[in-house]
Amino acid sequence: MVLVGIAAKLYEAMGIQRWLPMIPNSEPMSKSRHDHMDRGYISPGEPSVLDENYISWLKEHPSAISSFQRMINASKGKQIVVFLDYDGTLSPIVCDPDRAFMSDQMRAAVREVSKHFPTAIISGRSREKVYSFVKLNEVYYSGSHGMDTMGPARENKSYDDKYQYKTIDEEGNELIVFQPAKDFLPALQKMLVEMTEKTKNIQGVVIEDNRFCLSVHYRHVKDEDYEKLEEEVESVLENYPEFHMTRGKKVMEVRPSIEWNKGHALEYLLDNLGFDNVLPIYIGDDRTDEDAFKVLRERGEGFPIVVSSKPRDTMAFHSLHDPSEVLSFLIRLGRWGFKNAYPIQA
Ligand SMILES: O=P(O)(O)OC[C@H]1O[C@H](O[C@H]2O[C@H](CO)[C@@H](O)[C@H](O)[C@H]2O)[C@H](O)[C@@H](O)[C@@H]1O
């Protein structure tokens, strides 16, 4: 019974009401098909019911699902804008970066959300690559950790025209592309060749060309070879003082040292959307998403939501356990938008 109590506490904090029907005097499960889908969802990576650390972390970063109504109440009179990270948020983390596909269900949920709220995906991948996974024309894309952003066309004098150009999408809509790290492209291509050469004898290394940054994946590198790989990456970087390395999930990321990150991309998109009263929701799992969480905190608006199955330091207010919970949240948001928000004009 004690175990059941702890588990119930955990699920309640996570916003998962799967346990409730088993507990006497609890609210019965709704008969609505959609409600049932949400409540019946079982996340693949549920924490151990005894993970007290996770339970107390959830008190600091409550589930965005259980806080949904509060978020919606806060959006009164404001335009909701949705920002989503890709890997680990819209698709689960998998061994092969080229096979991080998004499920059809997730695609449908993002499409539904984007019908009612401006939606952007901000990823560490190249913009083209993330589009090839998502395949939705209804959303804006920002690749290379925000260094390649395609957003709504708007005269915006705060950004240097040297790095912006106008373009037309397949449906004839005018868009603007902002690439603040454009000057670094030749050096990046040179570095990619050197990095590939230097690491070619280390088994398991995958170098991904993310256009304005490089990802050196070491998920398949033997532990005993990791140090060697790190040395090689650092030795290449020594010849490129205008670049630096950051770390993600089993990946070293080499980026131009300019003051531009996912947080700046978020602000750029918000500027170009041009709403007066806005409520941004940003969902992400990566360390690089913290830059965007920080921006929302500093602006004092919106909801930064971290995707994490473990307690961790974060600037986010709310949390979701994994991409399956992201799906539940987006389904709910899309459904709410369908009933309550005006459709976005094409
Ligand atoms: O900003 P994101 O969209 O989250 O991109 C961050 C990096 O994600 C990818 O790598 C991660 O996901 C892979 C697929 O699940 C996994 O194999 C890898 O270990 C993770 O680090 C992507 O491949 C990187 O280029 C992105 O920078």
Side-chain angles (χ1 to χ4, degrees):
M1 202 57 211
V2 175
L3 271 185
V4 171
I6 294 172
K9 232 167 77 186
L10 171 63
Y11 284 113
E12 197 188 310
M14 290 172 72
I16 298 173
Q17 293 157 30
R18 190 163 68 87
W19 278 85
L20 293 180
M22 299 167 62
I23 301 166
N25 302 326
S26 65
E27 188 194 319
M29 253 201 193
S30 157
K31 291 217 171 54
S32 127
R33 193 170 69 88
H34 291 303
D35 261 329
H36 184 79
M37 268 164 52
D38 271 357
R39 291 173 181 219
Y41 144 70
I42 301 169
S43 121
E46 279 171 15
S48 143
V49 288
L50 293 175
D51 191 344
E52 291 277 2
N53 290 337
Y54 190 72
I55 298 173
S56 48
W57 182 79
L58 273 178
K59 286 191 185 130
E60 308 272 309
H61 306 284
S63 159
I65 296 174
S66 58
S67 310
F68 185 81
Q69 196 50 51
R70 246 166 291 151
M71 290 184 183
I72 289 302
N73 295 345
S75 76
K76 215 166 176 197
K78 295 182 179 163
Q79 173 64 54
I80 294 178
V81 181
V82 180
F83 296 93
L84 303 161
D85 166 51
Y86 185 73
D87 289 278
T89 299
L90 295 181
S91 73
I93 294 295
V94 293
C95 292
D96 180 354
D98 281 338
R99 301 192 61 78
F101 303 120
M102 185 178 175
S103 70
D104 289 343
Q105 251 187 317
M106 186 67 95
R107 184 170 298 103
V110 175
R111 181 186 284 118
E112 193 55 33
V113 165
S114 70
K115 279 186 195 161
H116 311 292
F117 313 109
T119 301
I121 296 177
I122 306 187
S123 171
R125 306 257 189 181
S126 73
R127 181 160 53 82
E128 290 76 15
K129 185 74 168 271
V130 77
Y131 174 76
S132 76
F133 281 134
V134 178
K135 297 190 198 94
L136 289 174
N137 291 328
E138 298 88 336
V139 306
Y140 300 112
Y141 293 88
S142 176
S144 311
H145 294 295
M147 287 180 281
D148 187 6
T149 301
M150 188 187 264
R154 195 161 182 260
E155 211 47 45
N156 196 333
K157 291 284 163 222
S158 331
Y159 300 96
D160 193 337
D161 272 346
K162 182 181 168 201
Y163 301 110
Q164 298 192 100
Y165 66 87
K166 284 201 175 145
T167 184
I168 308 274
D169 72 7
E170 286 165 17
E171 270 120 47
N173 303 306
E174 199 174 69
L175 293 165
I176 197 151
V177 178
F178 186 56
Q179 297 175 328
K182 195 172 112 184
D183 299 342
F184 295 82
L185 277 177
L188 268 158
Q189 285 309 309
K190 205 163 151 257
M191 196 181 348
L192 174 64
V193 174
E194 279 175 41
M195 201 76 88
T196 309
E197 180 59 26
K198 283 260 192 172
T199 58
K200 70 177 183 208
N201 294 325
I202 305 176
Q203 217 190 324
V205 181
V206 175
I207 301 183
E208 193 181 358
D209 179 0
N210 286 333
R211 187 135 198 246
F212 293 95
C213 49
L214 303 178
S215 286
V216 182
H217 292 275
Y218 58 87
R219 194 169 284 280
H220 301 289
V221 171
K222 289 194 199 113
D223 286 352
E224 57 266 37
D225 292 339
Y226 174 76
E227 224 168 279
K228 168 96 182 118
L229 173 64
E230 201 178 40
E231 275 169 25
E232 294 295 10
V233 172
E234 277 164 1
S235 79
V236 174
L237 266 175
E238 270 168 27
N239 300 323
Y240 295 88
E242 69 280 29
F243 289 83
H244 69 283
M245 193 225 287
T246 58
R247 287 164 197 280
K249 292 180 173 166
K250 306 266 181 199
V251 67
M252 294 178 230
E253 303 197 281
V254 176
R255 302 163 63 161
S257 301
I258 56 166
E259 217 190 297
W260 195 268
N261 55 42
K262 288 186 174 187
H264 296 98
L266 176 149
E267 291 202 292
Y268 178 80
L269 284 163
L270 285 178
D271 272 4
N272 280 16
L273 283 163
F275 298 114
D276 286 335
N277 251 330
V278 74
L279 185 123
I281 295 176
Y282 187 108
I283 310 179
D285 76 310
D286 216 22
R287 274 188 225 176
T288 57
D289 297 310
E290 293 292 332
D291 294 321
F293 298 160
K294 187 162 168 261
V295 165
L296 293 190
R297 276 211 182 228
E298 284 168 1
R299 289 169 72 112
E301 61 188 14
F303 293 104
I305 304 172
V306 66
V307 182
S308 182
S309 56
K310 292 187 204 122
R312 63 178 243 197
D313 278 343
T314 179
M315 299 282 274
F317 293 146
H318 292 91
S319 68
L320 290 166
H321 187 255
D322 52 37
S324 311
E325 281 206 7
V326 174
L327 175 63
S328 296
F329 180 84
L330 293 178
I331 289 175
R332 203 155 168 192
L333 184 61
R335 207 178 296 149
W336 185 87
F338 177 72
K339 287 190 193 146
N340 301 284
Y342 293 112
I344 291 186
Q345 304 294 316

